[in-house]
Amino acid sequence: VGYLIASPDLFPHLLRLKQSADLHTSRVGQWQVLQWLETERLERHLEALRHYYRARRDAFQAALETHFADLAEWQMPEGGLFFWLTLKHPIDTRALLEPALAANVAFMPGEPFFPEPDKHPGHLRLNFSHVAPDKLDEGLKRLSDVLRRALSQQAA
């Protein structure tokens, strides 16, 4: 069960695709979702999720300030689950992935998100939703160490 917002000219085509995929969504399933959407439990659940992710985002922001303030710029996200960093000294972040994984940290290189990746080095997408706040600091320290080593090798 889900929903779709589409332009009036596109909607009929998407509806036909949906119908050809599974004929229709179960009426019982739709009714159950409607019951959930109309409860105060949903609002309490959403508030708990907001609190959960806000705590992780805020801890991530603090750890970024500690370990990346001299390396990158970013904005604290008002929504979503990612921080986007722009390095002050651009480097192809795709080359950092292997050494980062060797240090037991992962990130998403930013270059693939651009239409011309090779023309946009120096961006990282970092997820704050998965790691517990007490482990964020260590993970970002490891990642900043990987970046510092790569930048020092690039300067040499």
Side-chain angles (χ1 to χ4, degrees):
V1 176
Y3 68 93
L4 172 70
I5 299 172
S7 63
D9 59 322
L10 182 59
F11 188 82
H13 302 289
L14 297 173
L15 180 61
R16 279 196 297 278
L17 287 172
K18 164 76 168 93
Q19 290 171 337
S20 68
D22 64 8
L23 299 179
H24 62 83
T25 302
S26 159
R27 300 243 187 254
V28 173
Q30 291 181 58
W31 180 82
Q32 289 173 322
V33 168
L34 178 63
Q35 300 308 304
W36 170 247
L37 291 174
E38 293 177 338
T39 67
E40 288 182 26
R41 287 178 39 216
L42 174 61
E43 286 306 314
R44 289 192 307 269
H45 177 67
L46 291 174
E47 186 55 38
L49 288 174
R50 287 184 200 105
H51 176 76
Y52 176 87
Y53 289 121
R54 185 179 300 114
R56 287 170 186 257
R57 182 206 60 191
D58 293 350
F60 205 94
Q61 170 72 14
L64 279 172
E65 288 174 5
T66 300
H67 301 292
F68 277 85
D70 61 327
L71 296 171
E73 296 175 347
W74 64 90
Q75 293 182 349
M76 185 181 321
E78 293 184 33
L81 304 173
F82 302 97
F83 275 82
W84 277 93
L85 277 63
T86 300
L87 299 178
K88 293 179 180 179
H89 303 286
I91 187 171
D92 188 337
T93 61
R94 294 170 290 189
L96 299 175
L97 193 53
E98 189 174 325
L101 292 172
N104 290 319
V105 290
F107 69 95
M108 182 65 194
E111 289 83 3
F113 291 92
F114 288 91
E116 297 181 77
D118 294 333
K119 292 184 179 181
H120 298 279
H123 302 277
L124 297 96
R125 187 180 80 164
L126 304 176
N127 180 293
F128 64 83
S129 68
H130 182 66
V131 180
D134 62 334
K135 296 189 185 234
L136 289 174
D137 189 76
E138 177 61 27
L140 287 174
K141 179 186 179 310
R142 290 180 189 185
L143 184 57
S144 70
D145 289 346
V146 167
L147 178 56
R148 288 177 202 287
R149 279 192 298 277
L151 288 171
S152 68
Q153 290 171 355
Q154 185 181 43

